[in-house]
Amino acid sequence: MTQFAVDREIDARGSACPGPLMELIRAMKASRKGQVVALLSEDQGSKVDVPQWVEKAGHKLLAVEEDGNVTRFIVQKAR
Amino acid sequence: MHDIVIAGGGVGGTVVANLLAEELAPEISLGKVRIRLITDRPEHVYKPAFLYLAFGRTAPTAYRRPQRELLHPRVELVVDPVLAVDTSQRRVIGDSGQAYAYSRLVLAPGAQVVPERTPGLAEAGEQFYTEEGAARLYRRLEGFTGGSVVVSVIGVPHMCPVAPLEMIFMLDAFFRQRGRRDQVELIYTYPINRVHSNPAIAEWAAPELESRGIRTETFFNVERIDPQQKVIETLEGTSLPFDLLIGIPEHAAPPFLESSGLTDAGWVPTDRHTLRVKGHEGIYALGDVTDLPVSKAGSVAHYQAATVAANLAAEVRGLPPAARYQGKTFCFIETGTDQATFVEFDYDHPPRPVRPSRWIHWAKMAYNQSYWLTARGVI
Ligand SMILES: Cc1cc2nc3c(=O)[nH]c(=O)nc-3n(C[C@H](O)[C@H](O)[C@H](O)COP(=O)(O)OP(=O)(O)OC[C@H]3O[C@@H](n4cnc5c(N)ncnc54)[C@H](O)[C@@H]3O)c2cc1C
């Protein structure tokens, strides 16, 4: 488990490509600076898309945790 | 008696009503079944026409028909906007105050655009997802002599996932035909890191855009628009100036669904195969209003209508509802003003666009006419 305090957790498992990334983008839009969002995804594409977007958008990828098929991305809104 | 109520007289609702009336004609004659279609306007509107309306290439007589004309005579038509669904009492409440009892309910009220969810968009942007929007855009395009035109996909999911690509290809052809292409910069933006959500369509479209000199911006999520400065600001921290902005707005289900407790994260939670609404007995949903990971497209609503009608007819006859929707989708893609391609796919088979041709463009034009037979449940 993570040591980060998560403000909002999004379960995007089973959501087809580009579902999980769009779910994260929507949540980040609705969050305030400093808040932490966790995203659960089963989509293999997320492993590339999510870190790329987080970098481009200038946010912080705090952790990526893998558990079997599921990846949990922990992202902090930095701007 | 089986009282079947269908809410929404668009593609999905109309086709379900007609297929059911045909299939259950004997039961309807015997007074064992009643089919009522409740919709909010007396006319049926063919929305795909708005893409052409934006270029002045169609007129209301071509895309509007009286709803009554499209319905099987055995379907009762009620024009009364739905205000609420009372699932505990199994009744639909209309704007008139009338309550309509149902034993089976079909939800097919489509999706709406909500540009007001993006600050500045309603003031500074154009769109072609409504009749008024498309007509206004046509006037803007006719008078547009030069500058930058941005087609920006803001809301995902949105109706007809390929329409923004069609719009930009048609703009390119439109300005070339008018001899103004060199005075216009065309820019297409998309929220994720490719030009379309479907990887196969994105792979096909990227070089098509490039070969026409259309600039693309990806990972582009519009946060707000500054109407005075005419600048788009994104969540990624970039800004993009424009002279003409054509935005694909956020979409939403009609508000009565949320207030009736029939949505989850904005859309109606629907079983991807049976099309039953999750957590509610006796309710089906189809078309743009569902939360399914399929295109919000007329073809989807049309294919789903066959599944919903077959399952309802089986239930009326005391049989198990065995029909399954497999994710089937078909979309034509205009690649200019006289060429098109198409894609066909389902849950298990990705699309493979073919080389654009004039013939496919004419097939789309022919389909636009034969749509009225589709709505009647004939084809
Ligand atoms: C510009 C554009 C281009 C498109 N191009 C294509 C294309 O090329 N191919 C394709 O397959 N699809 C296309 N589509 C998408 C297609 O039009 C929709 O996916 C399709 O209409 C969805 O069908 P539906 O039955 O779910 O909803 P709709 O057809 O939208 O019907 C919903 C009906 O419910 C009614 N309604 C709404 N609220 C209420 C209420 N409260 N009470 C009662 N009635 C209500 C509405 O008036 C409407 O009649 C396009 C859409 C647009 C906007």
Side-chain angles (χ1 to χ4, degrees), chain B residues 55-137:
Chain B
F55 293 93
R57 289 173 54 193
T58 188
T61 46
Y63 60 77
R64 284 175 166 273
R65 290 275 166 99
Q67 180 70 34
R68 184 63 264 176
E69 269 182 20
L70 299 174
L71 289 174
H72 191 286
R74 292 287 168 88
V75 177
E76 292 177 26
L77 171 65
V78 179
V79 179
D80 190 6
V82 175
L83 283 193
V85 179
D86 177 352
T87 51
S88 59
Q89 303 282 323
R90 292 202 170 207
R91 50 191 202 151
V92 168
I93 319 289
D95 187 43
S96 65
Q98 182 80 31
Y100 306 91
Y102 65 82
S103 55
R104 292 283 183 281
L105 175 64
V106 178
L107 297 173
Q112 304 176 342
V113 290
V114 279
E116 58 279 10
R117 282 199 192 160
T118 308
L121 180 59
E123 297 95 291
E126 303 294 339
Q127 54 92 13
F128 58 98
Y129 275 68
T130 60
E131 189 177 2
E132 310 73 52
R136 209 173 92 139
L137 176 56

Side-chain angles (χ1 to χ4, degrees), chain A residues 2-76:
Chain A
T2 168
Q3 70 275 30
F4 300 103
V6 171
D7 296 293
R8 194 166 164 200
E9 176 124 4
I10 309 156
D11 188 350
R13 282 177 293 180
S15 160
C17 205
L21 177 60
M22 282 314 297
E23 296 294 336
L24 175 69
I25 292 171
R26 247 193 288 273
M28 295 299 278
K29 249 186 189 173
S31 303
R32 288 190 308 277
K33 189 176 162 180
Q35 283 188 321
V36 175
V37 174
L39 172 79
L40 289 177
S41 173
E42 275 176 344
D43 175 21
Q44 293 306 302
S46 296
K47 288 184 195 165
V48 181
D49 292 357
V50 171
Q52 262 186 24
W53 180 77
V54 172
E55 195 193 333
K56 165 129 195 204
H59 301 305
K60 244 198 217 143
L61 189 57
L62 299 178
V64 180
E65 299 164 351
E66 305 227 13
D67 183 5
N69 264 349
V70 183
T71 311
R72 187 164 182 259
F73 301 90
I74 302 169
V75 185
Q76 183 170 41

Side-chain angles (χ1 to χ4, degrees), chain B residues 116-335:
Chain B
E116 58 279 10
R117 282 199 192 160
T118 308
L121 180 59
E123 297 95 291
E126 303 294 339
Q127 54 92 13
F128 58 98
Y129 275 68
T130 60
E131 189 177 2
E132 310 73 52
R136 209 173 92 139
L137 176 56
Y138 173 45
R139 285 194 286 275
R140 284 288 304 271
L141 287 176
E142 273 302 322
F144 192 81
T145 48
S148 64
V149 180
V150 178
V151 174
S152 182
V153 178
I154 300 172
V156 178
H158 59 79
M159 281 179 271
C160 194
V162 294
L165 283 170
E166 295 185 283
M167 173 48 74
I168 197 95
F169 290 141
M170 287 170 79
L171 284 168
D172 172 75
F174 173 84
F175 288 121
R176 278 179 207 279
Q177 281 157 6
R178 310 254 154 159
R180 281 187 250 151
R181 183 63 181 92
D182 54 344
Q183 291 138 49
V184 177
E185 188 187 14
L186 290 178
I187 305 162
Y188 174 88
T189 83
Y190 206 75
I192 59 168
N193 55 344
R194 49 177 185 263
V195 295
H196 193 271
S197 62
N198 186 296
I201 296 175
E203 202 176 303
W204 165 80
E208 296 278 338
L209 290 161
E210 199 184 335
S211 70
R212 289 166 174 78
I214 297 165
R215 199 175 115 200
T216 56
E217 294 277 345
T218 53
F219 270 154
F220 191 97
N221 286 279
V222 177
E223 190 162 37
R224 72 176 74 85
I225 289 130
D226 182 334
Q228 272 78 45
Q229 303 296 316
K230 290 192 159 186
V231 172
I232 307 172
E233 283 163 18
T234 70
L235 208 58
E236 290 77 18
T238 50
S239 31
L240 178 67
F242 62 86
D243 294 301
L244 173 58
L245 166 63
I246 303 172
I248 307 341
E250 298 249 354
H251 282 50
F256 78 86
L257 290 164
E258 193 173 349
S259 51
S260 303
L262 283 162
T263 55
D264 181 14
W267 303 101
V268 177
T270 308
D271 183 278
R272 68 204 309 239
H273 290 122
T274 63
L275 304 177
R276 281 179 159 149
V277 174
K278 292 179 186 166
H280 294 275
E281 269 300 300
I283 309 184
Y284 285 88
L286 76 162
D288 290 354
V289 83
T290 75
D291 69 342
L292 295 178
V294 295
S295 302
K296 294 204 181 299
S299 64
V300 167
H302 176 199
Y303 295 131
Q304 290 176 336
T307 303
V308 171
N311 283 339
L312 280 169
E315 287 181 4
V316 163
R317 293 180 170 148
L319 299 168
R324 296 288 178 270
Y325 171 66
Q326 301 293 353
K328 191 171 173 192
T329 309
F330 180 97
C331 294
F332 285 111
I333 310 174
E334 293 283 13
T335 55

